[in-house]
Amino acid sequence: MHQVVIRSDHITEIVDRVLANCKNVLPKRRYIISLAGIPGAGKSTLSSLVAQQLNQTVKTIVLPQDGFHLYRWQLNDMPDSEEAIRRRGAPFTFNAKAFVQLISQLNDPVYSQHIINAPSFDHKLKDPIEDDIHIEPDVQVIIIEGNYVSLRDPDWRDIHQYVDESWFIQTDIEVVRDRIIKRHLAAGIANNLEEATERADGSDLANAKYILAHSAPADVVIVTP
């Protein structure tokens, strides 16, 4: 496989690539991209910028993995609920089967002519909100964004068969660590710098190392300068 490398600040180059590639499938079906990366890599920011520019030409939507977090009550029902809650955000704390099932519907003729509803995630409630994202039939490009959308693990690996191109955003892990600490403080996930740092150095960086070790090679590597 020939892997393409693009800088994350070259948004126009990324957008032009999508527009050139999606011509081969539109309007017969949607063009679907997966965007993976470690926590704090900038996936949400990049996907939003790319979608914003693409929407000038083709209707585009971002479908985040976050809506498929298990509910807190589901974590509490796990055999080791304390560990599940502590590790929330790890692959096993998501409903990967439901995520893949929804992705499989995006180009299925049975579903694609109707509105497909997907969950979002409310960071204040710390739980998903069902049917909060509406994928209209006229959506042409979908960017599936999340930490684990390129994993080789069971269920997660099935995403690959439904996407036209896989992307991976590559960011220095120390830069990511600093972003995660600031994010935890801003979102109220941590009460102070010490707690935010402990969380970042624990579960978050453990997840990051797992992603780097267990993700399949991407078609496009997007490098943060």
Side-chain angles (χ1 to χ4, degrees), residues 27-99:
K28 294 177 289 184
R29 61 174 179 81
R30 295 181 171 120
Y31 189 78
I32 303 176
I33 301 158
S34 65
L35 171 60
I38 63 177
K43 299 179 295 298
S44 298
T45 301
L46 178 70
S47 57
S48 178
L49 289 171
V50 172
Q52 185 177 2
Q53 289 204 23
L54 283 172
N55 268 308
Q56 298 174 24
T57 308
V58 291
K59 188 167 181 180
T60 302
I61 192 169
V62 177
L63 177 60
Q65 167 199 300
D66 277 358
F68 293 86
H69 272 280
L70 293 178
Y71 283 88
R72 284 176 293 172
W73 67 262
Q74 291 174 302
L75 299 176
N76 283 323
D77 282 349
M78 287 185 168
D80 190 346
S81 58
E82 187 175 334
E83 175 67 4
I85 292 167
R86 187 184 72 82
R87 291 294 316 281
R88 195 178 200 195
F92 74 92
T93 67
F94 285 85
N95 190 341
K97 286 184 183 295
F99 189 33

Side-chain angles (χ1 to χ4, degrees), residues 127-148:
D127 263 336
I129 302 176
E130 294 297 327
D131 300 334
D132 193 45
I133 297 171
H134 311 295
I135 304 170
E136 304 279 350
D138 60 345
V139 170
Q140 297 167 289
V141 176
I142 300 175
I143 303 173
I144 301 165
E145 174 264 309
N147 294 338
Y148 306 126

Side-chain angles (χ1 to χ4, degrees), residues 10-220:
H10 291 184
I11 299 295
T12 301
E13 183 180 349
I14 298 170
V15 169
D16 287 346
R17 177 183 178 85
V18 176
L19 291 174
N21 289 344
C22 73
K23 286 179 182 177
N24 298 323
V25 301
L26 299 178
K28 294 177 289 184
R29 61 174 179 81
R30 295 181 171 120
Y31 189 78
I32 303 176
I33 301 158
S34 65
L35 171 60
I38 63 177
K43 299 179 295 298
S44 298
T45 301
L46 178 70
S47 57
S48 178
L49 289 171
V50 172
Q52 185 177 2
Q53 289 204 23
L54 283 172
N55 268 308
Q56 298 174 24
T57 308
V58 291
K59 188 167 181 180
T60 302
I61 192 169
V62 177
L63 177 60
Q65 167 199 300
D66 277 358
F68 293 86
H69 272 280
L70 293 178
Y71 283 88
R72 284 176 293 172
W73 67 262
Q74 291 174 302
L75 299 176
N76 283 323
D77 282 349
M78 287 185 168
D80 190 346
S81 58
E82 187 175 334
E83 175 67 4
I85 292 167
R86 187 184 72 82
R87 291 294 316 281
R88 195 178 200 195
F92 74 92
T93 67
F94 285 85
N95 190 341
K97 286 184 183 295
F99 189 33
V100 174
Q101 182 180 15
L102 185 136
I103 293 169
S104 74
Q105 296 173 2
L106 299 179
N107 278 321
D108 187 328
V110 174
Y111 298 96
S112 59
Q113 297 308 309
H114 305 279
I115 296 174
I116 298 173
N117 294 317
S120 66
F121 188 81
D122 189 313
H123 288 275
K124 290 183 180 178
L125 294 175
K126 297 183 174 62
D127 263 336
I129 302 176
E130 294 297 327
D131 300 334
D132 193 45
I133 297 171
H134 311 295
I135 304 170
E136 304 279 350
D138 60 345
V139 170
Q140 297 167 289
V141 176
I142 300 175
I143 303 173
I144 301 165
E145 174 264 309
N147 294 338
Y148 306 126
V149 298
S150 284
L151 284 189
R152 298 189 298 264
D153 295 8
D155 295 325
W156 296 103
R157 65 187 174 212
D158 295 337
I159 292 172
H160 180 75
Q161 65 184 298
Y162 300 113
V163 303
D164 294 281
E165 188 164 77
S166 60
W167 298 354
F168 192 94
I169 185 165
Q170 183 176 299
T171 310
D172 182 85
I173 201 158
E174 285 303 317
V175 172
V176 163
R177 178 179 179 272
D178 185 55
R179 285 180 187 169
I180 292 171
I181 291 169
K182 290 176 181 176
R183 180 189 296 175
H184 288 337
L185 289 169
I189 295 172
N191 296 316
N192 52 58
L193 180 60
E194 183 181 0
E195 188 178 325
T197 302
E198 183 179 350
R199 185 179 177 90
D201 289 340
S203 183
D204 292 310
L205 290 190
N207 293 338
K209 291 172 183 176
Y210 189 88
I211 291 162
L212 294 173
H214 294 87
S215 291
D219 299 312
V220 179

